[in-house]
Amino acid sequence: EKILRYLYLGRIKIESYHELCDLLNFANRYSIIPLLKTCQRWVDKRLDLHSALEILQISEEKFCLPLQNRAMEFICLNAPCY
């Protein structure tokens, strides 16, 4: 239902990382570039080290490779080095 609303109205309210994974997988499958960009912006606004670990776990469970890659990139660039 949210995807249909997005296709007609161009707006979507993402409420969880699980929902985000579903949207990203759909957008990737059907090459809906504006939806991909919307999802990426949503992630970038919320991304920190704590959320990156949560995102990584959820993206692995849901086989959401774009989100998994973004979380790994963020962790690699921002994790403290000892």
Side-chain angles (χ1 to χ4, degrees):
E1 180 179 331
K2 281 192 172 197
I3 293 172
L4 284 176
R5 190 175 304 139
Y6 176 80
L7 293 173
Y8 282 107
L9 302 176
R11 296 183 313 243
I12 194 160
K13 183 178 180 184
I14 303 168
E15 298 180 23
S16 71
Y17 291 118
H18 288 280
E19 184 176 72
L20 176 70
C21 284
D22 293 337
L23 292 170
L24 275 170
N25 284 334
F26 181 85
N28 270 334
R29 181 176 300 135
Y30 296 104
S31 299
I32 304 172
I33 303 304
L35 181 55
L36 281 171
K37 289 181 180 182
T38 298
C39 292
Q40 290 167 350
R41 283 192 302 272
W42 191 87
V43 169
D44 289 341
K45 288 180 184 176
R46 289 156 182 81
L47 203 53
D48 59 27
L49 283 176
H50 177 73
S51 65
L53 295 173
E54 181 182 2
I55 290 169
L56 186 59
Q57 180 182 6
I58 293 168
S59 64
E60 287 177 352
E61 291 170 5
K62 293 198 154 257
F63 304 105
C64 186
L65 192 57
L67 193 55
Q68 185 177 5
N69 289 340
R70 181 66 185 109
M72 286 297 294
E73 176 186 15
F74 185 88
I75 291 168
C76 289
L77 292 174
N78 295 287
C81 298
Y82 296 100

Coordinates of all heavy atoms in Angstrom, one line a residue:
E1 N 0.8 -1.2 0.0 CA 0.0 0.0 0.0 C 0.9 1.3 0.0 O 0.6 2.2 -0.7 CB -0.9 0.0 1.2 CG -1.8 1.2 1.3 CD -2.7 1.2 2.5 OE1 -3.1 0.0 2.9 OE2 -3.1 2.2 3.0
K2 N 1.9 1.3 0.8 CA 2.8 2.4 0.9 C 3.5 2.7 -0.5 O 3.7 3.8 -0.9 CB 3.9 2.3 2.0 CG 3.3 2.6 3.3 CD 4.4 2.7 4.3 CE 3.9 3.2 5.6 NZ 4.9 3.8 6.5
I3 N 3.9 1.6 -1.1 CA 4.5 1.7 -2.4 C 3.6 2.3 -3.5 O 4.0 3.2 -4.2 CB 5.1 0.4 -2.9 CG1 6.3 0.0 -1.9 CG2 5.6 0.4 -4.3 CD1 6.8 -1.4 -2.1
L4 N 2.4 1.8 -3.5 CA 1.4 2.4 -4.4 C 1.2 3.9 -4.1 O 1.1 4.7 -5.1 CB 0.1 1.7 -4.3 CG 0.0 0.3 -5.0 CD1 -1.3 -0.4 -4.7 CD2 0.2 0.4 -6.5
R5 N 1.1 4.2 -2.9 CA 0.9 5.7 -2.5 C 2.1 6.5 -3.0 O 2.0 7.6 -3.5 CB 0.7 5.8 -1.0 CG 0.3 7.2 -0.6 CD 0.0 7.3 0.9 NE -1.0 6.4 1.3 CZ -1.0 5.7 2.4 NH1 0.0 5.9 3.3 NH2 -1.9 4.8 2.7
Y6 N 3.3 5.9 -2.8 CA 4.5 6.6 -3.3 C 4.5 6.8 -4.8 O 4.8 7.8 -5.3 CB 5.8 5.8 -2.9 CG 7.0 6.5 -3.4 CD1 7.6 7.6 -2.8 CD2 7.6 6.0 -4.6 CE1 8.7 8.2 -3.3 CE2 8.7 6.7 -5.1 CZ 9.2 7.8 -4.5 OH 10.3 8.4 -5.0
L7 N 4.1 5.7 -5.5 CA 4.1 5.8 -7.0 C 3.1 6.8 -7.5 O 3.3 7.5 -8.5 CB 3.7 4.4 -7.6 CG 4.8 3.3 -7.4 CD1 4.3 2.0 -7.9 CD2 6.1 3.7 -8.1
Y8 N 2.0 7.0 -6.8 CA 1.0 8.0 -7.2 C 1.3 9.4 -6.7 O 1.1 10.4 -7.4 CB -0.4 7.6 -6.8 CG -1.0 6.5 -7.6 CD1 -1.1 5.2 -7.2 CD2 -1.5 6.8 -8.9 CE1 -1.7 4.2 -7.9 CE2 -2.0 5.8 -9.7 CZ -2.1 4.5 -9.2 OH -2.6 3.5 -10.0
L9 N 1.8 9.5 -5.5 CA 1.9 10.8 -4.8 C 3.4 11.3 -4.8 O 3.6 12.5 -4.5 CB 1.3 10.8 -3.4 CG -0.1 10.4 -3.3 CD1 -0.6 10.4 -1.9 CD2 -1.0 11.5 -4.1
G10 N 4.3 10.4 -4.9 CA 5.7 10.8 -4.8 C 6.2 11.0 -3.4 O 7.2 11.6 -3.2
R11 N 5.4 10.6 -2.4 CA 5.8 10.8 -1.0 C 5.6 9.5 -0.2 O 4.8 8.6 -0.6 CB 4.9 11.8 -0.3 CG 5.0 13.2 -0.9 CD 4.1 14.2 -0.1 NE 2.8 13.6 0.1 CZ 1.7 14.2 -0.3 NH1 1.7 15.3 -1.0 NH2 0.5 13.6 -0.1
I12 N 6.5 9.3 0.8 CA 6.4 8.1 1.6 C 6.9 8.4 3.0 O 7.8 9.2 3.2 CB 7.2 6.9 0.9 CG1 6.8 5.6 1.6 CG2 8.7 7.1 1.0 CD1 7.1 4.4 0.7
K13 N 6.3 7.8 4.0 CA 6.7 7.9 5.4 C 7.3 6.5 5.8 O 6.6 5.5 5.9 CB 5.5 8.3 6.3 CG 6.0 8.5 7.7 CD 4.8 8.9 8.5 CE 5.3 9.1 10.0 NZ 4.1 9.4 10.9
I14 N 8.6 6.5 6.0 CA 9.3 5.3 6.4 C 9.3 5.3 7.9 O 9.8 6.3 8.5 CB 10.7 5.3 5.8 CG1 10.7 5.4 4.3 CG2 11.4 4.0 6.2 CD1 12.0 5.6 3.6
E15 N 8.9 4.2 8.5 CA 8.7 4.2 9.9 C 9.7 3.2 10.7 O 9.8 3.3 11.9 CB 7.3 3.8 10.3 CG 6.3 4.9 9.8 CD 4.9 4.6 10.1 OE1 4.6 3.8 11.0 OE2 4.0 5.1 9.4
S16 N 10.4 2.4 9.9 CA 11.3 1.5 10.6 C 12.4 1.0 9.6 O 12.2 1.1 8.4 CB 10.6 0.2 11.2 OG 10.2 -0.6 10.1
Y17 N 13.5 0.4 10.1 CA 14.5 -0.1 9.3 C 14.0 -1.4 8.5 O 14.4 -1.6 7.4 CB 15.8 -0.4 10.1 CG 16.5 0.8 10.6 CD1 16.6 1.0 12.0 CD2 17.0 1.7 9.7 CE1 17.3 2.1 12.4 CE2 17.6 2.9 10.2 CZ 17.8 3.1 11.6 OH 18.4 4.2 12.0
H18 N 13.1 -2.1 9.2 CA 12.6 -3.3 8.5 C 11.8 -2.8 7.2 O 11.9 -3.4 6.2 CB 11.7 -4.1 9.4 CG 12.4 -4.8 10.5 ND1 13.0 -6.0 10.3 CD2 12.6 -4.5 11.8 CE1 13.6 -6.5 11.4 NE2 13.4 -5.5 12.3
E19 N 11.0 -1.8 7.4 CA 10.2 -1.3 6.3 C 11.1 -0.7 5.2 O 10.9 -0.9 4.0 CB 9.3 -0.2 6.8 CG 8.3 0.4 5.8 CD 7.4 1.4 6.4 OE1 7.9 2.5 6.8 OE2 6.2 1.1 6.5
L20 N 12.2 -0.1 5.7 CA 13.2 0.5 4.8 C 13.8 -0.6 3.9 O 13.9 -0.4 2.7 CB 14.3 1.2 5.5 CG 15.4 1.8 4.7 CD1 14.9 2.9 3.9 CD2 16.6 2.2 5.6
C21 N 14.1 -1.7 4.5 CA 14.7 -2.9 3.7 C 13.7 -3.3 2.6 O 14.1 -3.6 1.5 CB 15.0 -4.0 4.6 SG 16.5 -3.8 5.6
D22 N 12.5 -3.5 3.0 CA 11.5 -3.9 2.0 C 11.4 -2.9 0.9 O 11.3 -3.3 -0.3 CB 10.1 -4.1 2.7 CG 10.1 -5.2 3.7 OD1 10.9 -6.1 3.6 OD2 9.2 -5.2 4.6
L23 N 11.3 -1.6 1.2 CA 11.3 -0.6 0.2 C 12.5 -0.6 -0.7 O 12.4 -0.4 -1.9 CB 11.1 0.8 0.8 CG 9.8 1.0 1.5 CD1 9.8 2.3 2.3 CD2 8.6 1.1 0.5
L24 N 13.7 -0.7 -0.1 CA 14.9 -0.7 -0.9 C 14.9 -1.9 -1.8 O 15.3 -1.8 -3.0 CB 16.1 -0.7 0.0 CG 16.6 0.6 0.5 CD1 17.7 0.4 1.6 CD2 17.2 1.4 -0.6
N25 N 14.5 -3.1 -1.3 CA 14.5 -4.3 -2.2 C 13.6 -4.1 -3.3 O 13.9 -4.4 -4.5 CB 14.2 -5.5 -1.4 CG 15.3 -6.0 -0.5 OD1 16.5 -5.8 -0.8 ND2 15.0 -6.7 0.6
F26 N 12.4 -3.5 -3.1 CA 11.4 -3.3 -4.1 C 12.0 -2.3 -5.2 O 11.9 -2.5 -6.4 CB 10.1 -2.7 -3.5 CG 9.1 -2.5 -4.5 CD1 8.2 -3.5 -5.0 CD2 8.9 -1.2 -5.1 CE1 7.2 -3.3 -5.9 CE2 7.9 -1.0 -6.0 CZ 7.1 -2.0 -6.5
A27 N 12.5 -1.2 -4.6 CA 13.1 -0.1 -5.5 C 14.2 -0.7 -6.4 O 14.3 -0.3 -7.6 CB 13.5 1.1 -4.7
N28 N 15.0 -1.5 -5.8 CA 16.1 -2.1 -6.6 C 15.6 -3.0 -7.7 O 16.0 -3.0 -8.8 CB 17.1 -2.9 -5.7 CG 18.2 -2.0 -5.2 OD1 18.6 -1.0 -5.8 ND2 18.7 -2.4 -4.0
R29 N 14.6 -3.9 -7.3 CA 14.1 -4.8 -8.2 C 13.5 -4.2 -9.4 O 13.6 -4.7 -10.5 CB 13.1 -5.7 -7.5 CG 12.5 -6.8 -8.4 CD 11.5 -7.7 -7.7 NE 12.2 -8.4 -6.6 CZ 11.7 -8.5 -5.4 NH1 10.5 -8.0 -5.1 NH2 12.3 -9.2 -4.5
Y30 N 12.8 -3.1 -9.2 CA 12.0 -2.4 -10.3 C 12.7 -1.1 -10.8 O 12.1 -0.4 -11.5 CB 10.6 -2.2 -9.9 CG 9.9 -3.5 -9.7 CD1 9.6 -4.0 -8.4 CD2 9.5 -4.3 -10.7 CE1 9.0 -5.2 -8.1 CE2 8.9 -5.5 -10.5 CZ 8.6 -6.0 -9.2 OH 8.0 -7.2 -9.0
S31 N 13.9 -0.9 -10.3 CA 14.7 0.3 -10.7 C 14.0 1.6 -10.5 O 13.9 2.4 -11.5 CB 15.2 0.1 -12.2 OG 16.0 -1.0 -12.3
I32 N 13.4 1.8 -9.4 CA 12.7 3.0 -9.1 C 13.7 4.0 -8.4 O 13.8 4.0 -7.1 CB 11.4 2.8 -8.2 CG1 10.5 1.8 -8.9 CG2 10.7 4.1 -7.9 CD1 9.4 1.3 -8.0
I33 N 14.4 4.7 -9.2 CA 15.5 5.5 -8.7 C 15.1 6.6 -7.7 O 15.8 6.7 -6.6 CB 16.3 6.1 -9.9 CG1 16.8 5.1 -10.8 CG2 17.5 7.0 -9.4 CD1 17.7 4.0 -10.2
P34 N 14.0 7.3 -7.9 CA 13.6 8.3 -6.9 C 13.3 7.7 -5.5 O 13.6 8.2 -4.5 CB 12.3 8.9 -7.5 CG 12.5 8.7 -8.9 CD 13.1 7.4 -9.1
L35 N 12.7 6.5 -5.5 CA 12.5 5.8 -4.2 C 13.8 5.4 -3.6 O 14.0 5.5 -2.3 CB 11.6 4.6 -4.4 CG 11.2 3.8 -3.1 CD1 10.6 4.7 -2.1 CD2 10.3 2.6 -3.5
L36 N 14.8 4.9 -4.4 CA 16.1 4.6 -3.8 C 16.7 5.8 -3.2 O 17.3 5.7 -2.1 CB 17.0 4.1 -4.9 CG 16.8 2.6 -5.4 CD1 17.6 2.4 -6.7 CD2 17.2 1.7 -4.3
K37 N 16.6 6.9 -3.8 CA 17.2 8.1 -3.3 C 16.5 8.6 -2.0 O 17.2 9.0 -1.1 CB 17.2 9.3 -4.3 CG 18.2 9.0 -5.5 CD 18.2 10.1 -6.5 CE 19.2 9.8 -7.6 NZ 19.2 10.8 -8.6
T38 N 15.2 8.4 -2.0 CA 14.5 8.8 -0.8 C 14.9 7.9 0.4 O 15.1 8.4 1.5 CB 12.9 8.6 -1.0 OG1 12.5 9.5 -2.0 CG2 12.1 8.9 0.2
C39 N 15.0 6.6 0.1 CA 15.5 5.7 1.2 C 16.9 6.0 1.6 O 17.2 6.0 2.8 CB 15.4 4.2 0.7 SG 13.8 3.6 0.4
Q40 N 17.8 6.3 0.7 CA 19.2 6.7 1.1 C 19.2 7.9 1.9 O 20.0 8.0 2.9 CB 20.0 6.9 -0.2 CG 20.3 5.6 -0.9 CD 20.8 5.8 -2.3 OE1 20.9 6.9 -2.8 NE2 21.3 4.7 -2.9
R41 N 18.4 8.9 1.6 CA 18.4 10.2 2.4 C 17.8 9.9 3.8 O 18.3 10.4 4.8 CB 17.5 11.2 1.7 CG 18.2 11.9 0.6 CD 17.4 13.2 0.1 NE 16.0 12.9 -0.3 CZ 15.7 12.5 -1.5 NH1 16.6 12.4 -2.5 NH2 14.4 12.3 -1.8
W42 N 16.8 9.0 3.9 CA 16.3 8.6 5.2 C 17.4 8.0 6.1 O 17.5 8.3 7.3 CB 15.1 7.7 5.0 CG 14.3 7.4 6.2 CD1 13.2 8.2 6.7 CD2 14.4 6.4 7.2 NE1 12.7 7.6 7.8 CE2 13.4 6.5 8.2 CE3 15.3 5.3 7.3 CZ2 13.3 5.6 9.2 CZ3 15.2 4.4 8.3 CH2 14.2 4.6 9.3
V43 N 18.1 7.1 5.5 CA 19.2 6.4 6.2 C 20.3 7.4 6.6 O 20.7 7.4 7.8 CB 19.8 5.3 5.4 CG1 21.1 4.8 6.0 CG2 18.9 4.1 5.2
D44 N 20.7 8.2 5.7 CA 21.8 9.2 6.0 C 21.4 10.1 7.1 O 22.3 10.5 7.9 CB 22.2 9.9 4.8 CG 22.9 9.0 3.7 OD1 23.4 8.0 4.1 OD2 23.0 9.4 2.6
K45 N 20.2 10.5 7.3 CA 19.7 11.4 8.4 C 19.8 10.7 9.7 O 19.9 11.4 10.7 CB 18.3 11.9 8.1 CG 18.2 12.9 7.0 CD 16.7 13.3 6.9 CE 16.6 14.2 5.7 NZ 15.2 14.6 5.5
R46 N 19.7 9.4 9.8 CA 19.6 8.7 11.0 C 20.9 7.8 11.4 O 20.9 7.2 12.4 CB 18.4 7.7 11.0 CG 17.1 8.5 11.0 CD 16.0 7.7 10.4 NE 14.8 8.5 10.4 CZ 14.4 9.4 9.6 NH1 15.3 9.7 8.6 NH2 13.3 10.1 9.7
L47 N 21.8 7.9 10.5 CA 23.0 7.0 10.6 C 24.0 7.5 11.7 O 24.4 8.6 11.6 CB 23.7 6.8 9.3 CG 24.5 5.6 9.1 CD1 23.8 4.3 9.4 CD2 25.0 5.5 7.6
D48 N 24.3 6.6 12.6 CA 25.3 6.8 13.6 C 25.9 5.5 13.9 O 25.4 4.5 13.4 CB 24.9 7.6 14.8 CG 23.8 6.9 15.6 OD1 23.7 5.6 15.5 OD2 23.0 7.6 16.3
L49 N 26.9 5.4 14.7 CA 27.5 4.0 15.0 C 26.5 3.0 15.6 O 26.5 1.9 15.2 CB 28.8 4.2 15.8 CG 30.0 4.7 15.1 CD1 31.1 4.9 16.1 CD2 30.4 3.8 14.0
H50 N 25.7 3.5 16.5 CA 24.7 2.6 17.1 C 23.7 2.1 16.0 O 23.5 0.9 15.9 CB 24.0 3.3 18.3 CG 23.0 2.4 18.9 ND1 23.3 1.3 19.6 CD2 21.6 2.4 18.8 CE1 22.1 0.7 20.0 NE2 21.1 1.4 19.5
S51 N 23.1 3.0 15.3 CA 22.1 2.6 14.3 C 22.8 1.8 13.2 O 22.1 1.0 12.6 CB 21.4 3.8 13.8 OG 22.3 4.7 13.0
A52 N 24.0 2.1 12.8 CA 24.7 1.3 11.8 C 24.8 -0.1 12.1 O 24.6 -1.0 11.2 CB 26.1 1.9 11.5
L53 N 25.0 -0.4 13.4 CA 25.1 -1.9 13.8 C 23.7 -2.5 13.7 O 23.5 -3.6 13.2 CB 25.6 -2.0 15.2 CG 27.1 -1.5 15.3 CD1 27.5 -1.5 16.8 CD2 28.0 -2.4 14.5
E54 N 22.7 -1.8 14.1 CA 21.3 -2.2 14.0 C 20.9 -2.4 12.5 O 20.3 -3.5 12.1 CB 20.3 -1.3 14.6 CG 18.9 -1.7 14.6 CD 17.9 -0.7 15.2 OE1 18.4 0.4 15.7 OE2 16.7 -1.0 15.2
I55 N 21.3 -1.5 11.7 CA 21.0 -1.6 10.2 C 21.7 -2.8 9.6 O 21.1 -3.5 8.8 CB 21.4 -0.2 9.5 CG1 20.5 0.9 9.9 CG2 21.4 -0.4 8.0 CD1 21.0 2.3 9.5
L56 N 22.9 -3.0 10.0 CA 23.7 -4.1 9.5 C 23.0 -5.4 9.8 O 22.8 -6.3 9.0 CB 25.1 -4.1 10.0 CG 26.1 -5.1 9.5 CD1 26.2 -4.9 8.0 CD2 27.4 -4.9 10.2
Q57 N 22.6 -5.6 11.0 CA 21.9 -6.8 11.5 C 20.6 -7.0 10.7 O 20.3 -8.1 10.1 CB 21.6 -6.7 13.0 CG 20.9 -8.0 13.5 CD 20.6 -7.9 14.9 OE1 20.8 -6.9 15.6 NE2 20.1 -9.0 15.5
I58 N 19.8 -6.0 10.6 CA 18.5 -6.1 9.9 C 18.7 -6.3 8.4 O 18.0 -7.2 7.8 CB 17.6 -4.8 10.1 CG1 17.2 -4.7 11.6 CG2 16.4 -4.8 9.2 CD1 16.6 -3.4 12.0
S59 N 19.7 -5.6 7.8 CA 19.9 -5.8 6.4 C 20.4 -7.2 6.0 O 20.1 -7.7 5.0 CB 20.9 -4.7 5.9 OG 22.1 -4.9 6.5
E60 N 21.1 -7.8 6.9 CA 21.6 -9.2 6.7 C 20.4 -10.1 6.8 O 20.3 -11.1 6.0 CB 22.7 -9.6 7.7 CG 24.0 -8.9 7.4 CD 25.1 -9.2 8.4 OE1 24.8 -9.8 9.4 OE2 26.2 -8.8 8.1
E61 N 19.5 -9.9 7.8 CA 18.3 -10.8 8.0 C 17.4 -10.7 6.7 O 16.8 -11.7 6.3 CB 17.5 -10.4 9.2 CG 18.2 -10.6 10.5 CD 17.5 -10.0 11.7 OE1 16.4 -9.4 11.5 OE2 18.1 -10.1 12.8
K62 N 17.3 -9.5 6.2 CA 16.4 -9.3 5.1 C 17.0 -9.3 3.7 O 16.4 -9.0 2.7 CB 15.6 -7.9 5.3 CG 14.7 -7.9 6.5 CD 13.8 -6.8 6.3 CE 12.5 -7.0 7.1 NZ 11.4 -7.4 6.2
F63 N 18.3 -9.7 3.7 CA 19.1 -9.7 2.4 C 19.0 -8.4 1.6 O 18.7 -8.4 0.4 CB 18.6 -10.9 1.5 CG 18.6 -12.2 2.3 CD1 17.5 -12.8 2.7 CD2 19.9 -12.8 2.5 CE1 17.5 -14.0 3.4 CE2 19.9 -14.0 3.2 CZ 18.8 -14.6 3.6
C64 N 19.2 -7.3 2.3 CA 19.1 -6.0 1.7 C 20.5 -5.5 1.5 O 21.1 -4.7 2.3 CB 18.3 -5.1 2.6 SG 18.0 -3.5 1.9
L65 N 21.1 -5.8 0.4 CA 22.5 -5.5 0.1 C 22.8 -4.0 0.0 O 23.8 -3.6 0.6 CB 22.9 -6.2 -1.2 CG 24.4 -6.2 -1.5 CD1 25.2 -6.9 -0.4 CD2 24.7 -6.9 -2.8
P66 N 22.0 -3.2 -0.6 CA 22.3 -1.7 -0.6 C 22.4 -1.2 0.8 O 23.3 -0.4 1.1 CB 21.2 -1.1 -1.3 CG 20.6 -2.2 -2.1 CD 20.8 -3.4 -1.4
L67 N 21.5 -1.6 1.7 CA 21.6 -1.1 3.1 C 22.7 -1.7 3.8 O 23.4 -1.0 4.6 CB 20.2 -1.4 3.8 CG 20.0 -0.7 5.1 CD1 20.1 0.8 4.9 CD2 18.6 -1.1 5.6
Q68 N 23.0 -2.9 3.6 CA 24.1 -3.6 4.2 C 25.4 -2.9 3.8 O 26.3 -2.6 4.7 CB 24.1 -5.1 3.9 CG 25.2 -5.9 4.6 CD 25.1 -7.3 4.2 OE1 24.4 -7.7 3.3 NE2 25.9 -8.1 4.8
N69 N 25.6 -2.6 2.6 CA 26.8 -1.9 2.1 C 26.9 -0.5 2.7 O 28.0 -0.1 3.1 CB 26.8 -1.8 0.6 CG 27.0 -3.1 -0.1 OD1 27.5 -4.1 0.5 ND2 26.6 -3.2 -1.3
R70 N 25.8 0.2 2.8 CA 25.9 1.6 3.4 C 26.3 1.5 4.9 O 27.1 2.3 5.4 CB 24.5 2.3 3.3 CG 24.5 3.7 3.8 CD 25.4 4.6 3.0 NE 25.4 5.9 3.6 CZ 26.5 6.4 4.3 NH1 27.6 5.7 4.4 NH2 26.4 7.6 4.8
A71 N 25.7 0.6 5.6 CA 26.1 0.4 7.0 C 27.5 0.0 7.2 O 28.3 0.6 8.1 CB 25.2 -0.6 7.7
M72 N 28.0 -0.9 6.4 CA 29.4 -1.3 6.5 C 30.4 -0.2 6.1 O 31.4 0.0 6.8 CB 29.7 -2.5 5.5 CG 29.1 -3.8 6.0 SD 29.9 -4.4 7.5 CE 31.5 -4.7 7.0
E73 N 30.0 0.6 5.1 CA 30.8 1.8 4.7 C 30.9 2.8 5.9 O 32.0 3.3 6.2 CB 30.2 2.4 3.5 CG 30.9 3.7 3.1 CD 30.2 4.4 1.9 OE1 29.1 4.1 1.7 OE2 30.9 5.3 1.3
F74 N 29.8 3.0 6.5 CA 29.7 4.0 7.6 C 30.6 3.5 8.8 O 31.3 4.2 9.4 CB 28.3 4.2 8.1 CG 28.2 5.3 9.1 CD1 28.1 6.6 8.7 CD2 28.2 5.0 10.5 CE1 28.0 7.6 9.7 CE2 28.2 6.0 11.4 CZ 28.0 7.3 11.1
I75 N 30.4 2.2 9.1 CA 31.2 1.6 10.2 C 32.7 1.7 9.9 O 33.5 2.1 10.8 CB 30.8 0.2 10.5 CG1 29.3 0.2 11.1 CG2 31.7 -0.5 11.5 CD1 28.7 -1.2 11.1
C76 N 33.1 1.3 8.8 CA 34.5 1.4 8.4 C 35.1 2.8 8.4 O 36.2 3.0 8.9 CB 34.7 0.8 7.0 SG 34.5 -1.0 7.0
L77 N 34.3 3.8 8.1 CA 34.8 5.1 8.0 C 34.8 5.8 9.4 O 35.5 6.8 9.6 CB 34.1 6.0 7.0 CG 34.2 5.6 5.5 CD1 33.3 6.4 4.7 CD2 35.7 5.8 5.1
N78 N 33.9 5.4 10.3 CA 33.7 6.1 11.5 C 34.0 5.4 12.8 O 33.9 6.0 13.9 CB 32.2 6.6 11.5 CG 31.9 7.6 10.4 OD1 32.3 8.7 10.5 ND2 31.2 7.1 9.4
A79 N 34.2 4.1 12.7 CA 34.5 3.3 14.0 C 35.9 3.8 14.5 O 36.8 4.0 13.8 CB 34.6 1.8 13.7
P80 N 36.0 3.9 15.8 CA 37.2 4.3 16.4 C 38.3 3.2 16.2 O 38.0 2.0 16.2 CB 36.9 4.4 17.9 CG 35.7 3.7 18.1 CD 34.9 3.6 16.8
C81 N 39.5 3.7 16.0 CA 40.7 2.8 15.8 C 41.4 2.7 17.1 O 41.7 3.7 17.7 CB 41.6 3.3 14.7 SG 40.8 3.4 13.1
Y82 N 41.8 1.5 17.5 CA 42.6 1.3 18.7 C 43.9 0.8 18.4 O 44.2 0.1 17.6 CB 41.8 0.4 19.7 CG 40.5 0.9 20.1 CD1 39.3 0.5 19.6 CD2 40.5 1.9 21.2 CE1 38.1 1.1 20.0 CE2 39.3 2.4 21.6 CZ 38.1 2.0 21.0 OH 36.9 2.5 21.4

